[in-house]
PDB file of all heavy atoms in Angstrom:
ATOM      1  N   PHE A  23      -3.159 -59.351  47.124  1.00  0.00           N
ATOM      2  CA  PHE A  23      -4.550 -59.814  46.925  1.00  0.00           C
ATOM      3  C   PHE A  23      -4.881 -60.937  47.957  1.00  0.00           C
ATOM      4  O   PHE A  23      -3.914 -61.770  48.304  1.00  0.00           O
ATOM      5  CB  PHE A  23      -4.719 -60.277  45.547  1.00  0.00           C
ATOM      6  CG  PHE A  23      -4.811 -59.072  44.579  1.00  0.00           C
ATOM      7  CD1 PHE A  23      -3.661 -58.961  43.629  1.00  0.00           C
ATOM      8  CD2 PHE A  23      -5.757 -58.206  44.641  1.00  0.00           C
ATOM      9  CE1 PHE A  23      -3.711 -57.949  42.788  1.00  0.00           C
ATOM     10  CE2 PHE A  23      -5.746 -57.179  43.703  1.00  0.00           C
ATOM     11  CZ  PHE A  23      -4.756 -56.995  42.827  1.00  0.00           C
ATOM     12  N   SER A  24      -6.105 -61.067  48.351  1.00  0.00           N
ATOM     13  CA  SER A  24      -6.479 -62.142  49.241  1.00  0.00           C
ATOM     14  C   SER A  24      -6.391 -63.410  48.335  1.00  0.00           C
ATOM     15  O   SER A  24      -6.373 -63.414  47.147  1.00  0.00           O
ATOM     16  CB  SER A  24      -7.976 -61.951  49.554  1.00  0.00           C
ATOM     17  OG  SER A  24      -8.547 -63.152  50.027  1.00  0.00           O
ATOM     18  N   GLY A  25      -6.185 -64.556  49.114  1.00  0.00           N
ATOM     19  CA  GLY A  25      -6.248 -65.935  48.470  1.00  0.00           C
ATOM     20  C   GLY A  25      -7.631 -66.118  47.791  1.00  0.00           C
ATOM     21  O   GLY A  25      -7.669 -67.010  46.917  1.00  0.00           O
ATOM     22  N   ALA A  26      -8.608 -65.393  48.177  1.00  0.00           N
ATOM     23  CA  ALA A  26      -9.973 -65.592  47.633  1.00  0.00           C
ATOM     24  C   ALA A  26     -10.063 -64.782  46.335  1.00  0.00           C
ATOM     25  O   ALA A  26     -11.071 -64.978  45.593  1.00  0.00           O
ATOM     26  CB  ALA A  26     -11.000 -65.119  48.608  1.00  0.00           C
ATOM     27  N   THR A  27      -9.157 -64.043  45.959  1.00  0.00           N
ATOM     28  CA  THR A  27      -9.206 -63.039  44.796  1.00  0.00           C
ATOM     29  C   THR A  27      -9.169 -64.031  43.510  1.00  0.00           C
ATOM     30  O   THR A  27      -8.470 -64.984  43.397  1.00  0.00           O
ATOM     31  CB  THR A  27      -8.088 -62.091  44.722  1.00  0.00           C
ATOM     32  OG1 THR A  27      -8.261 -61.149  45.745  1.00  0.00           O
ATOM     33  CG2 THR A  27      -8.055 -61.280  43.341  1.00  0.00           C
ATOM     34  N   ARG A  28      -9.946 -63.693  42.501  1.00  0.00           N
ATOM     35  CA  ARG A  28      -9.846 -64.291  41.208  1.00  0.00           C
ATOM     36  C   ARG A  28      -9.954 -63.244  40.106  1.00  0.00           C
ATOM     37  O   ARG A  28     -10.404 -62.205  40.424  1.00  0.00           O
ATOM     38  CB  ARG A  28     -10.904 -65.395  40.993  1.00  0.00           C
ATOM     39  CG  ARG A  28     -12.328 -64.950  41.283  1.00  0.00           C
ATOM     40  CD  ARG A  28     -13.350 -66.010  40.993  1.00  0.00           C
ATOM     41  NE  ARG A  28     -14.708 -65.693  41.411  1.00  0.00           N
ATOM     42  CZ  ARG A  28     -15.729 -66.322  40.848  1.00  0.00           C
ATOM     43  NH1 ARG A  28     -15.529 -67.300  40.029  1.00  0.00           N
ATOM     44  NH2 ARG A  28     -16.973 -65.919  41.226  1.00  0.00           N
ATOM     45  N   GLY A  29      -9.534 -63.592  38.953  1.00  0.00           N
ATOM     46  CA  GLY A  29      -9.487 -62.610  37.795  1.00  0.00           C
ATOM     47  C   GLY A  29      -8.069 -62.165  37.593  1.00  0.00           C
ATOM     48  O   GLY A  29      -7.077 -62.539  38.206  1.00  0.00           O
ATOM     49  N   PHE A  30      -7.900 -61.096  36.706  1.00  0.00           N
ATOM     50  CA  PHE A  30      -6.627 -60.789  36.282  1.00  0.00           C
ATOM     51  C   PHE A  30      -6.078 -59.721  37.200  1.00  0.00           C
ATOM     52  O   PHE A  30      -6.119 -58.500  36.976  1.00  0.00           O
ATOM     53  CB  PHE A  30      -6.598 -60.207  34.810  1.00  0.00           C
ATOM     54  CG  PHE A  30      -5.449 -60.740  34.049  1.00  0.00           C
ATOM     55  CD1 PHE A  30      -5.576 -61.174  32.688  1.00  0.00           C
ATOM     56  CD2 PHE A  30      -4.157 -60.742  34.532  1.00  0.00           C
ATOM     57  CE1 PHE A  30      -4.642 -61.669  31.995  1.00  0.00           C
ATOM     58  CE2 PHE A  30      -3.093 -61.243  33.816  1.00  0.00           C
ATOM     59  CZ  PHE A  30      -3.336 -61.689  32.451  1.00  0.00           C
ATOM     60  N   CYS A  31      -5.577 -60.231  38.412  1.00  0.00           N
ATOM     61  CA  CYS A  31      -5.134 -59.269  39.508  1.00  0.00           C
ATOM     62  C   CYS A  31      -3.704 -59.614  39.887  1.00  0.00           C
ATOM     63  O   CYS A  31      -3.368 -60.640  40.315  1.00  0.00           O
ATOM     64  CB  CYS A  31      -6.072 -59.542  40.706  1.00  0.00           C
ATOM     65  SG  CYS A  31      -7.794 -59.209  40.334  1.00  0.00           S
ATOM     66  N   ILE A  32      -2.859 -58.628  39.645  1.00  0.00           N
ATOM     67  CA  ILE A  32      -1.471 -58.743  39.772  1.00  0.00           C
ATOM     68  C   ILE A  32      -1.049 -58.006  41.059  1.00  0.00           C
ATOM     69  O   ILE A  32      -1.270 -56.793  41.162  1.00  0.00           O
ATOM     70  CB  ILE A  32      -0.601 -58.255  38.529  1.00  0.00           C
ATOM     71  CG1 ILE A  32      -0.980 -59.125  37.414  1.00  0.00           C
ATOM     72  CG2 ILE A  32       0.815 -58.205  38.856  1.00  0.00           C
ATOM     73  CD1 ILE A  32      -2.182 -58.671  36.571  1.00  0.00           C
ATOM     74  N   GLY A  33      -0.435 -58.720  42.018  1.00  0.00           N
ATOM     75  CA  GLY A  33       0.051 -58.075  43.199  1.00  0.00           C
ATOM     76  C   GLY A  33       1.510 -58.118  43.397  1.00  0.00           C
ATOM     77  O   GLY A  33       2.218 -58.759  42.556  1.00  0.00           O
ATOM     78  N   HIS A  34       1.980 -57.537  44.522  1.00  0.00           N
ATOM     79  CA  HIS A  34       3.410 -57.547  44.907  1.00  0.00           C
ATOM     80  C   HIS A  34       4.369 -56.883  43.845  1.00  0.00           C
ATOM     81  O   HIS A  34       5.494 -57.152  43.808  1.00  0.00           O
ATOM     82  CB  HIS A  34       3.887 -59.072  45.064  1.00  0.00           C
ATOM     83  CG  HIS A  34       3.164 -59.890  46.080  1.00  0.00           C
ATOM     84  ND1 HIS A  34       3.704 -60.934  46.594  1.00  0.00           N
ATOM     85  CD2 HIS A  34       1.983 -59.861  46.517  1.00  0.00           C
ATOM     86  CE1 HIS A  34       2.789 -61.549  47.475  1.00  0.00           C
ATOM     87  NE2 HIS A  34       1.695 -60.835  47.372  1.00  0.00           N
ATOM     88  N   VAL A  35       3.783 -55.995  43.158  1.00  0.00           N
ATOM     89  CA  VAL A  35       4.535 -55.311  42.059  1.00  0.00           C
ATOM     90  C   VAL A  35       5.710 -54.523  42.787  1.00  0.00           C
ATOM     91  O   VAL A  35       5.525 -53.714  43.755  1.00  0.00           O
ATOM     92  CB  VAL A  35       3.623 -54.243  41.353  1.00  0.00           C
ATOM     93  CG1 VAL A  35       4.595 -53.352  40.395  1.00  0.00           C
ATOM     94  CG2 VAL A  35       2.739 -55.071  40.464  1.00  0.00           C
ATOM     95  N   GLY A  36       6.904 -54.761  42.399  1.00  0.00           N
ATOM     96  CA  GLY A  36       8.061 -54.117  43.037  1.00  0.00           C
ATOM     97  C   GLY A  36       9.161 -53.655  42.094  1.00  0.00           C
ATOM     98  O   GLY A  36       9.191 -54.158  40.972  1.00  0.00           O
ATOM     99  N   PRO A  37       9.859 -52.637  42.429  1.00  0.00           N
ATOM    100  CA  PRO A  37       9.741 -51.962  43.733  1.00  0.00           C
ATOM    101  C   PRO A  37       8.453 -51.249  43.889  1.00  0.00           C
ATOM    102  O   PRO A  37       7.854 -50.846  42.921  1.00  0.00           O
ATOM    103  CB  PRO A  37      10.963 -50.974  43.669  1.00  0.00           C
ATOM    104  CG  PRO A  37      11.917 -51.543  42.538  1.00  0.00           C
ATOM    105  CD  PRO A  37      11.004 -52.142  41.650  1.00  0.00           C
ATOM    106  N   GLU A  38       8.079 -51.108  45.118  1.00  0.00           N
ATOM    107  CA  GLU A  38       6.706 -50.373  45.441  1.00  0.00           C
ATOM    108  C   GLU A  38       6.874 -48.928  45.186  1.00  0.00           C
ATOM    109  O   GLU A  38       7.938 -48.291  45.104  1.00  0.00           O
ATOM    110  CB  GLU A  38       6.380 -50.655  46.813  1.00  0.00           C
ATOM    111  CG  GLU A  38       7.310 -50.173  47.846  1.00  0.00           C
ATOM    112  CD  GLU A  38       6.744 -50.369  49.327  1.00  0.00           C
ATOM    113  OE1 GLU A  38       5.723 -49.649  49.633  1.00  0.00           O
ATOM    114  OE2 GLU A  38       7.334 -51.102  50.131  1.00  0.00           O
ATOM    115  N   ALA A  39       5.728 -48.331  45.048  1.00  0.00           N
ATOM    116  CA  ALA A  39       5.696 -46.909  44.808  1.00  0.00           C
ATOM    117  C   ALA A  39       6.285 -46.096  45.770  1.00  0.00           C
ATOM    118  O   ALA A  39       6.863 -44.935  45.457  1.00  0.00           O
ATOM    119  CB  ALA A  39       4.166 -46.456  44.612  1.00  0.00           C
ATOM    120  N   ALA A  40       6.289 -46.436  47.024  1.00  0.00           N
ATOM    121  CA  ALA A  40       6.778 -45.554  48.161  1.00  0.00           C
ATOM    122  C   ALA A  40       8.302 -45.304  48.030  1.00  0.00           C
ATOM    123  O   ALA A  40       8.820 -44.412  48.586  1.00  0.00           O
ATOM    124  CB  ALA A  40       6.390 -46.196  49.458  1.00  0.00           C
ATOM    125  N   VAL A  41       8.991 -46.260  47.354  1.00  0.00           N
ATOM    126  CA  VAL A  41      10.376 -46.148  47.116  1.00  0.00           C
ATOM    127  C   VAL A  41      10.767 -45.708  45.758  1.00  0.00           C
ATOM    128  O   VAL A  41      12.020 -45.771  45.317  1.00  0.00           O
ATOM    129  CB  VAL A  41      11.237 -47.363  47.533  1.00  0.00           C
ATOM    130  CG1 VAL A  41      10.965 -47.679  49.072  1.00  0.00           C
ATOM    131  CG2 VAL A  41      10.815 -48.548  46.693  1.00  0.00           C
ATOM    132  N   GLY A  42       9.814 -45.313  44.945  1.00  0.00           N
ATOM    133  CA  GLY A  42      10.074 -44.741  43.618  1.00  0.00           C
ATOM    134  C   GLY A  42       9.959 -45.759  42.599  1.00  0.00           C
ATOM    135  O   GLY A  42      10.653 -45.528  41.412  1.00  0.00           O
ATOM    136  N   GLY A  43       9.409 -46.973  42.786  1.00  0.00           N
ATOM    137  CA  GLY A  43       9.285 -48.021  41.788  1.00  0.00           C
ATOM    138  C   GLY A  43       8.540 -47.524  40.553  1.00  0.00           C
ATOM    139  O   GLY A  43       7.796 -46.460  40.654  1.00  0.00           O
ATOM    140  N   PRO A  44       8.653 -48.201  39.405  1.00  0.00           N
ATOM    141  CA  PRO A  44       8.018 -47.672  38.250  1.00  0.00           C
ATOM    142  C   PRO A  44       6.512 -47.585  38.345  1.00  0.00           C
ATOM    143  O   PRO A  44       5.921 -46.717  37.643  1.00  0.00           O
ATOM    144  CB  PRO A  44       8.348 -48.813  37.196  1.00  0.00           C
ATOM    145  CG  PRO A  44       9.653 -49.320  37.741  1.00  0.00           C
ATOM    146  CD  PRO A  44       9.617 -49.288  39.152  1.00  0.00           C
ATOM    147  N   ILE A  45       5.856 -48.339  39.248  1.00  0.00           N
ATOM    148  CA  ILE A  45       4.353 -48.215  39.443  1.00  0.00           C
ATOM    149  C   ILE A  45       4.084 -46.756  39.861  1.00  0.00           C
ATOM    150  O   ILE A  45       2.950 -46.339  39.627  1.00  0.00           O
ATOM    151  CB  ILE A  45       3.927 -49.214  40.328  1.00  0.00           C
ATOM    152  CG1 ILE A  45       2.333 -49.351  40.259  1.00  0.00           C
ATOM    153  CG2 ILE A  45       4.403 -49.070  41.760  1.00  0.00           C
ATOM    154  CD1 ILE A  45       1.721 -50.474  41.089  1.00  0.00           C
ATOM    155  N   ALA A  46       4.999 -46.127  40.617  1.00  0.00           N
ATOM    156  CA  ALA A  46       4.660 -44.715  40.947  1.00  0.00           C
ATOM    157  C   ALA A  46       4.695 -43.725  39.851  1.00  0.00           C
ATOM    158  O   ALA A  46       4.230 -42.574  39.987  1.00  0.00           O
ATOM    159  CB  ALA A  46       5.765 -44.305  42.051  1.00  0.00           C
ATOM    160  N   LEU A  47       5.325 -44.053  38.781  1.00  0.00           N
ATOM    161  CA  LEU A  47       5.541 -43.209  37.633  1.00  0.00           C
ATOM    162  C   LEU A  47       4.379 -43.269  36.625  1.00  0.00           C
ATOM    163  O   LEU A  47       4.381 -42.416  35.696  1.00  0.00           O
ATOM    164  CB  LEU A  47       6.862 -43.457  36.977  1.00  0.00           C
ATOM    165  CG  LEU A  47       8.108 -43.608  37.881  1.00  0.00           C
ATOM    166  CD1 LEU A  47       9.381 -43.939  37.044  1.00  0.00           C
ATOM    167  CD2 LEU A  47       8.200 -42.371  38.665  1.00  0.00           C
ATOM    168  N   LEU A  48       3.494 -44.232  36.792  1.00  0.00           N
ATOM    169  CA  LEU A  48       2.409 -44.380  35.835  1.00  0.00           C
ATOM    170  C   LEU A  48       1.448 -43.152  35.823  1.00  0.00           C
ATOM    171  O   LEU A  48       1.276 -42.487  36.799  1.00  0.00           O
ATOM    172  CB  LEU A  48       1.594 -45.640  36.238  1.00  0.00           C
ATOM    173  CG  LEU A  48       2.393 -46.951  35.948  1.00  0.00           C
ATOM    174  CD1 LEU A  48       1.521 -48.096  36.433  1.00  0.00           C
ATOM    175  CD2 LEU A  48       2.812 -47.155  34.458  1.00  0.00           C
ATOM    176  N   GLN A  49       0.942 -42.957  34.581  1.00  0.00           N
ATOM    177  CA  GLN A  49      -0.188 -41.917  34.492  1.00  0.00           C
ATOM    178  C   GLN A  49      -1.309 -42.567  33.823  1.00  0.00           C
ATOM    179  O   GLN A  49      -1.210 -43.483  33.066  1.00  0.00           O
ATOM    180  CB  GLN A  49       0.345 -40.716  33.638  1.00  0.00           C
ATOM    181  CG  GLN A  49       1.588 -39.965  34.244  1.00  0.00           C
ATOM    182  CD  GLN A  49       2.199 -38.915  33.414  1.00  0.00           C
ATOM    183  OE1 GLN A  49       1.627 -38.680  32.268  1.00  0.00           O
ATOM    184  NE2 GLN A  49       3.282 -38.322  33.825  1.00  0.00           N
ATOM    185  N   ASP A  50      -2.461 -41.964  34.011  1.00  0.00           N
ATOM    186  CA  ASP A  50      -3.682 -42.370  33.349  1.00  0.00           C
ATOM    187  C   ASP A  50      -3.447 -42.479  31.793  1.00  0.00           C
ATOM    188  O   ASP A  50      -2.920 -41.465  31.250  1.00  0.00           O
ATOM    189  CB  ASP A  50      -4.824 -41.408  33.632  1.00  0.00           C
ATOM    190  CG  ASP A  50      -5.371 -41.555  35.061  1.00  0.00           C
ATOM    191  OD1 ASP A  50      -4.987 -42.635  35.721  1.00  0.00           O
ATOM    192  OD2 ASP A  50      -6.298 -40.849  35.484  1.00  0.00           O
ATOM    193  N   GLY A  51      -3.891 -43.406  31.286  1.00  0.00           N
ATOM    194  CA  GLY A  51      -3.711 -43.700  29.783  1.00  0.00           C
ATOM    195  C   GLY A  51      -2.583 -44.437  29.328  1.00  0.00           C
ATOM    196  O   GLY A  51      -2.448 -44.904  28.194  1.00  0.00           O
ATOM    197  N   ASP A  52      -1.512 -44.472  30.172  1.00  0.00           N
ATOM    198  CA  ASP A  52      -0.302 -45.366  29.881  1.00  0.00           C
ATOM    199  C   ASP A  52      -0.809 -46.722  29.505  1.00  0.00           C
ATOM    200  O   ASP A  52      -1.638 -47.370  30.173  1.00  0.00           O
ATOM    201  CB  ASP A  52       0.772 -45.458  31.045  1.00  0.00           C
ATOM    202  CG  ASP A  52       1.488 -44.056  31.174  1.00  0.00           C
ATOM    203  OD1 ASP A  52       1.565 -43.228  30.309  1.00  0.00           O
ATOM    204  OD2 ASP A  52       1.971 -43.961  32.358  1.00  0.00           O
ATOM    205  N   ILE A  53      -0.213 -47.349  28.479  1.00  0.00           N
ATOM    206  CA  ILE A  53      -0.642 -48.628  28.078  1.00  0.00           C
ATOM    207  C   ILE A  53       0.112 -49.820  28.758  1.00  0.00           C
ATOM    208  O   ILE A  53       1.317 -49.773  28.709  1.00  0.00           O
ATOM    209  CB  ILE A  53      -0.581 -48.870  26.520  1.00  0.00           C
ATOM    210  CG1 ILE A  53      -1.435 -47.783  25.828  1.00  0.00           C
ATOM    211  CG2 ILE A  53      -0.955 -50.304  26.118  1.00  0.00           C
ATOM    212  CD1 ILE A  53      -2.796 -47.848  26.131  1.00  0.00           C
ATOM    213  N   ILE A  54      -0.539 -50.605  29.494  1.00  0.00           N
ATOM    214  CA  ILE A  54       0.063 -51.660  30.224  1.00  0.00           C
ATOM    215  C   ILE A  54      -0.313 -52.999  29.560  1.00  0.00           C
ATOM    216  O   ILE A  54      -1.390 -53.232  29.213  1.00  0.00           O
ATOM    217  CB  ILE A  54      -0.451 -51.695  31.773  1.00  0.00           C
ATOM    218  CG1 ILE A  54      -0.020 -50.379  32.406  1.00  0.00           C
ATOM    219  CG2 ILE A  54       0.104 -52.932  32.503  1.00  0.00           C
ATOM    220  CD1 ILE A  54      -0.607 -50.174  33.762  1.00  0.00           C
ATOM    221  N   GLU A  55       0.774 -53.836  29.447  1.00  0.00           N
ATOM    222  CA  GLU A  55       0.600 -55.141  28.827  1.00  0.00           C
ATOM    223  C   GLU A  55       1.079 -56.287  29.842  1.00  0.00           C
ATOM    224  O   GLU A  55       2.081 -56.229  30.358  1.00  0.00           O
ATOM    225  CB  GLU A  55       1.357 -55.267  27.554  1.00  0.00           C
ATOM    226  CG  GLU A  55       1.107 -56.610  26.810  1.00  0.00           C
ATOM    227  CD  GLU A  55       1.623 -56.527  25.352  1.00  0.00           C
ATOM    228  OE1 GLU A  55       2.348 -55.599  24.981  1.00  0.00           O
ATOM    229  OE2 GLU A  55       1.373 -57.592  24.636  1.00  0.00           O
ATOM    230  N   ILE A  56       0.161 -57.165  30.026  1.00  0.00           N
ATOM    231  CA  ILE A  56       0.354 -58.326  30.948  1.00  0.00           C
ATOM    232  C   ILE A  56       0.259 -59.625  30.215  1.00  0.00           C
ATOM    233  O   ILE A  56      -0.686 -59.870  29.455  1.00  0.00           O
ATOM    234  CB  ILE A  56      -0.631 -58.376  32.106  1.00  0.00           C
ATOM    235  CG1 ILE A  56      -0.742 -56.991  32.806  1.00  0.00           C
ATOM    236  CG2 ILE A  56      -0.334 -59.482  33.134  1.00  0.00           C
ATOM    237  CD1 ILE A  56      -2.025 -56.679  33.437  1.00  0.00           C
ATOM    238  N   ASP A  57       1.309 -60.454  30.267  1.00  0.00           N
ATOM    239  CA  ASP A  57       1.288 -61.792  29.638  1.00  0.00           C
ATOM    240  C   ASP A  57       1.664 -62.832  30.613  1.00  0.00           C
ATOM    241  O   ASP A  57       2.911 -63.004  30.914  1.00  0.00           O
ATOM    242  CB  ASP A  57       2.230 -61.867  28.403  1.00  0.00           C
ATOM    243  CG  ASP A  57       2.100 -63.098  27.590  1.00  0.00           C
ATOM    244  OD1 ASP A  57       1.726 -64.057  28.158  1.00  0.00           O
ATOM    245  OD2 ASP A  57       2.417 -62.970  26.385  1.00  0.00           O
ATOM    246  N   ALA A  58       0.668 -63.469  31.206  1.00  0.00           N
ATOM    247  CA  ALA A  58       0.949 -64.561  32.198  1.00  0.00           C
ATOM    248  C   ALA A  58       1.538 -65.836  31.681  1.00  0.00           C
ATOM    249  O   ALA A  58       2.061 -66.602  32.321  1.00  0.00           O
ATOM    250  CB  ALA A  58      -0.368 -64.923  32.987  1.00  0.00           C
ATOM    251  N   GLU A  59       1.398 -66.005  30.300  1.00  0.00           N
ATOM    252  CA  GLU A  59       2.121 -67.128  29.744  1.00  0.00           C
ATOM    253  C   GLU A  59       3.639 -66.868  29.626  1.00  0.00           C
ATOM    254  O   GLU A  59       4.453 -67.825  29.888  1.00  0.00           O
ATOM    255  CB  GLU A  59       1.503 -67.425  28.317  1.00  0.00           C
ATOM    256  CG  GLU A  59       0.031 -67.997  28.452  1.00  0.00           C
ATOM    257  CD  GLU A  59      -0.456 -68.303  26.993  1.00  0.00           C
ATOM    258  OE1 GLU A  59       0.223 -68.063  25.999  1.00  0.00           O
ATOM    259  OE2 GLU A  59      -1.578 -68.902  26.957  1.00  0.00           O
ATOM    260  N   ALA A  60       3.945 -65.711  29.171  1.00  0.00           N
ATOM    261  CA  ALA A  60       5.399 -65.329  28.954  1.00  0.00           C
ATOM    262  C   ALA A  60       5.989 -64.902  30.354  1.00  0.00           C
ATOM    263  O   ALA A  60       7.268 -64.862  30.510  1.00  0.00           O
ATOM    264  CB  ALA A  60       5.545 -64.301  27.978  1.00  0.00           C
ATOM    265  N   GLY A  61       5.147 -64.560  31.309  1.00  0.00           N
ATOM    266  CA  GLY A  61       5.618 -64.110  32.592  1.00  0.00           C
ATOM    267  C   GLY A  61       6.068 -62.722  32.514  1.00  0.00           C
ATOM    268  O   GLY A  61       7.141 -62.388  33.209  1.00  0.00           O
ATOM    269  N   THR A  62       5.400 -61.721  31.859  1.00  0.00           N
ATOM    270  CA  THR A  62       5.814 -60.448  31.682  1.00  0.00           C
ATOM    271  C   THR A  62       4.775 -59.434  32.114  1.00  0.00           C
ATOM    272  O   THR A  62       3.629 -59.706  32.025  1.00  0.00           O
ATOM    273  CB  THR A  62       6.334 -60.084  30.236  1.00  0.00           C
ATOM    274  OG1 THR A  62       5.223 -60.360  29.413  1.00  0.00           O
ATOM    275  CG2 THR A  62       7.469 -61.049  29.881  1.00  0.00           C
ATOM    276  N   ILE A  63       5.237 -58.259  32.602  1.00  0.00           N
ATOM    277  CA  ILE A  63       4.421 -57.132  32.853  1.00  0.00           C
ATOM    278  C   ILE A  63       5.094 -55.905  32.500  1.00  0.00           C
ATOM    279  O   ILE A  63       6.168 -55.596  33.094  1.00  0.00           O
ATOM    280  CB  ILE A  63       3.809 -57.144  34.256  1.00  0.00           C
ATOM    281  CG1 ILE A  63       2.866 -55.953  34.557  1.00  0.00           C
ATOM    282  CG2 ILE A  63       4.966 -57.168  35.246  1.00  0.00           C
ATOM    283  CD1 ILE A  63       2.190 -56.032  35.883  1.00  0.00           C
ATOM    284  N   SER A  64       4.610 -55.110  31.513  1.00  0.00           N
ATOM    285  CA  SER A  64       5.347 -53.912  31.071  1.00  0.00           C
ATOM    286  C   SER A  64       4.406 -52.752  30.725  1.00  0.00           C
ATOM    287  O   SER A  64       3.219 -52.886  30.539  1.00  0.00           O
ATOM    288  CB  SER A  64       6.131 -54.289  29.820  1.00  0.00           C
ATOM    289  OG  SER A  64       5.316 -54.748  28.844  1.00  0.00           O
ATOM    290  N   VAL A  65       4.943 -51.562  30.681  1.00  0.00           N
ATOM    291  CA  VAL A  65       4.288 -50.339  30.310  1.00  0.00           C
ATOM    292  C   VAL A  65       4.919 -49.844  29.036  1.00  0.00           C
ATOM    293  O   VAL A  65       6.239 -49.959  28.898  1.00  0.00           O
ATOM    294  CB  VAL A  65       4.358 -49.330  31.411  1.00  0.00           C
ATOM    295  CG1 VAL A  65       5.687 -48.929  31.866  1.00  0.00           C
ATOM    296  CG2 VAL A  65       3.531 -48.077  30.943  1.00  0.00           C
ATOM    297  N   GLU A  66       4.126 -49.300  28.163  1.00  0.00           N
ATOM    298  CA  GLU A  66       4.667 -48.904  26.867  1.00  0.00           C
ATOM    299  C   GLU A  66       5.400 -47.527  26.960  1.00  0.00           C
ATOM    300  O   GLU A  66       4.950 -46.537  26.413  1.00  0.00           O
ATOM    301  CB  GLU A  66       3.604 -48.890  25.788  1.00  0.00           C
ATOM    302  CG  GLU A  66       3.226 -50.285  25.399  1.00  0.00           C
ATOM    303  CD  GLU A  66       2.172 -50.372  24.202  1.00  0.00           C
ATOM    304  OE1 GLU A  66       1.779 -49.264  23.806  1.00  0.00           O
ATOM    305  OE2 GLU A  66       1.856 -51.377  23.798  1.00  0.00           O
ATOM    306  N   LEU A  67       6.383 -47.545  27.725  1.00  0.00           N
ATOM    307  CA  LEU A  67       7.221 -46.288  27.928  1.00  0.00           C
ATOM    308  C   LEU A  67       8.713 -46.718  27.768  1.00  0.00           C
ATOM    309  O   LEU A  67       9.091 -47.761  28.365  1.00  0.00           O
ATOM    310  CB  LEU A  67       6.995 -45.705  29.271  1.00  0.00           C
ATOM    311  CG  LEU A  67       5.575 -45.183  29.673  1.00  0.00           C
ATOM    312  CD1 LEU A  67       5.465 -44.788  31.163  1.00  0.00           C
ATOM    313  CD2 LEU A  67       5.078 -44.027  28.746  1.00  0.00           C
ATOM    314  N   ASP A  68       9.435 -45.775  27.121  1.00  0.00           N
ATOM    315  CA  ASP A  68      10.920 -46.147  27.041  1.00  0.00           C
ATOM    316  C   ASP A  68      11.722 -45.738  28.234  1.00  0.00           C
ATOM    317  O   ASP A  68      11.093 -44.993  29.081  1.00  0.00           O
ATOM    318  CB  ASP A  68      11.483 -45.626  25.787  1.00  0.00           C
ATOM    319  CG  ASP A  68      11.426 -44.159  25.653  1.00  0.00           C
ATOM    320  OD1 ASP A  68      11.295 -43.372  26.735  1.00  0.00           O
ATOM    321  OD2 ASP A  68      11.371 -43.550  24.561  1.00  0.00           O
ATOM    322  N   ASP A  69      12.890 -46.086  28.404  1.00  0.00           N
ATOM    323  CA  ASP A  69      13.755 -45.715  29.566  1.00  0.00           C
ATOM    324  C   ASP A  69      13.884 -44.237  29.702  1.00  0.00           C
ATOM    325  O   ASP A  69      13.908 -43.702  30.865  1.00  0.00           O
ATOM    326  CB  ASP A  69      15.084 -46.391  29.424  1.00  0.00           C
ATOM    327  CG  ASP A  69      14.992 -47.877  29.661  1.00  0.00           C
ATOM    328  OD1 ASP A  69      13.994 -48.400  30.114  1.00  0.00           O
ATOM    329  OD2 ASP A  69      15.983 -48.600  29.262  1.00  0.00           O
TER     330      ASP A  69
END
């Protein structure tokens, strides 16, 4: 994201999709939870 970006915008998610990171495995409707106080970002899918 640009330094000018504001709002709930999370970047640098790694590993990236091109190498098969979890972000590549997401499907529409998967529930994502972000907690910037706890420092967590997760998807409600088990291993």
Side-chain angles (χ1 to χ4, degrees):
F23 291 111
S24 165
T27 293
R28 53 181 175 155
F30 226 133
C31 300
I32 293 89
H34 303 203
V35 171
E38 62 173 294
V41 298
I45 192 172
L47 311 179
L48 293 177
Q49 297 174 3
D50 286 351
D52 289 341
I53 301 301
I54 295 171
E55 185 169 6
I56 306 154
D57 188 333
E59 290 184 354
T62 58
I63 179 169
S64 59
V65 57
E66 291 185 355
L67 298 172
D68 58 26
D69 290 345

